Amino acid sequence: MSSTEAARPIFLQGENCKPSWKEANAGFNQTDTHLEILGKPVMERWETPYMHSLATAAASKGGRVLEVGFGMAIAATKLEEFDIEEHWIIECNEGVFQRLQEWAKKQPHKVVPLKGLWEDVAPTLPDGHFDGILYDTYPLSAETWHTHQFSFIKGHAFRLLKAGGVLTYCNLTSWGELLKTDYTDIEKMFEETQVAHLLEAGFKKENISTSVMDLIPPEDCRYYSFHKMITPTILKQ
């Protein structure tokens, strides 16, 4: 990858991939280390330790876990190692969903694949249904680049969780940009850009915690270059 490629913004002003995302080709490379859709760097294998951290948080209450976004199955495969009962997964891209269906057949726990955008699927799910939620989807427009997670969290995450349930999430495409342009402290970034939205959703400050890990991305990664990653653990009480 050229330095020009690495430096170009993930989204151009006004760009919107949502209308074509479902049917767009899921570009898994030959070694299965990168996933690109519509030229966007959706996921890379180097994220594995971080995805495992998110999965560990989401599975910490056992029971029924909802995962929003399947990607390369990194978090999903880790979730299946835990003592959970059911694993519901929302995925909207056709090629990724086909992979999910094949993957689901080989898992030790009951997997419920749900096809569609979370905006369409989440409203059909019942209140208080999940012990854990892991939200990690790709932003589909310039307008929602930094905010799509809040739409899900405020609109659905709180109501979908059982009392005592746990939410974890990330938006690496946003956080990577914020840590490149506005912040040098990842905990300060999370506190100043995320927490107010979690409180608006109904979660309490004393039930929001984070853990930070060291993880250095490859130099050619377009969406994240910071040397640390943050895992939120948000309890519903």
Side-chain angles (χ1 to χ4, degrees):
M1 180 185 294
S2 69
S3 57
T4 308
E5 248 188 326
R8 79 174 187 266
I10 298 292
F11 284 97
L12 302 174
Q13 187 173 355
E15 188 176 4
N16 183 13
C17 300
K18 194 171 182 178
S20 47
W21 194 265
K22 288 185 188 179
E23 302 302 327
N25 177 60
F28 295 94
N29 67 342
Q30 282 190 327
T31 52
D32 202 33
T33 58
H34 292 65
L35 168 59
E36 280 201 3
I37 299 176
L38 296 177
K40 304 299 183 192
V42 174
M43 192 168 219
E44 298 179 4
R45 186 71 58 184
W46 67 266
E47 296 177 31
T48 295
Y50 179 62
M51 289 295 114
H52 286 184
S53 176
L54 293 175
T56 301
S60 61
K61 303 297 182 180
R64 185 183 293 117
V65 177
L66 173 66
E67 187 174 2
V68 188
F70 182 66
M72 296 170 67
I74 300 173
T77 301
K78 186 66 177 177
L79 267 165
E80 285 292 321
E81 294 179 12
F82 293 101
D83 186 21
I84 61 172
E85 294 168 16
E86 295 181 10
H87 188 176
W88 295 40
I89 306 173
I90 300 173
E91 174 55 53
C92 73
N93 177 267
E94 177 63 39
V96 177
F97 190 80
Q98 287 176 14
R99 276 202 170 200
L100 163 55
Q101 288 179 303
E102 289 305 308
W103 173 91
K105 295 173 186 175
K106 306 166 190 168
Q107 302 313 309
H109 304 292
K110 179 182 177 181
V111 177
V112 181
L114 300 164
K115 187 178 182 183
L117 293 163
W118 68 256
E119 293 94 327
D120 299 324
V121 176
T124 71
L125 302 176
D127 293 359
H129 202 56
F130 297 99
D131 299 276
I133 297 176
L134 194 171
Y135 177 93
D136 177 21
T137 71
Y138 198 78
L140 298 186
S141 68
E143 184 183 3
T144 61
W145 180 355
H146 298 285
T147 59
H148 65 92
Q149 70 272 29
F150 305 134
S151 299
F152 173 79
I153 292 168
K154 293 175 189 178
H156 300 287
F158 190 84
R159 74 166 186 87
L160 290 173
L161 282 173
K162 296 177 182 177
V166 60
L167 165 70
T168 190
Y169 75 97
C170 69
N171 183 351
L172 293 185
T173 314
S174 165
W175 298 352
E177 186 70 13
L178 292 171
L179 290 162
K180 193 186 296 181
T181 57
D182 297 339
Y183 292 93
T184 56
D185 181 327
I186 195 167
E187 290 172 294
K188 185 178 181 186
M189 178 280 293
F190 190 88
E191 175 67 32
E192 293 187 359
T193 67
Q194 308 294 302
V195 170
H197 295 278
L198 299 175
L199 299 179
E200 277 182 46
F203 296 100
K204 295 177 181 175
K205 185 72 181 285
E206 60 267 28
N207 294 326
I208 301 169
S209 61
T210 57
S211 61
V212 175
M213 67 164 58
D214 294 318
L215 188 59
I216 299 174
E219 287 187 13
D220 64 355
C221 180
R222 284 176 54 203
Y223 57 89
Y224 204 89
S225 57
F226 201 69
H227 57 284
K228 292 180 184 292
M229 307 188 88
I230 191 164
T231 301
T233 301
I234 304 136
L235 299 176
K236 175 181 177 177
Q237 297 294 359

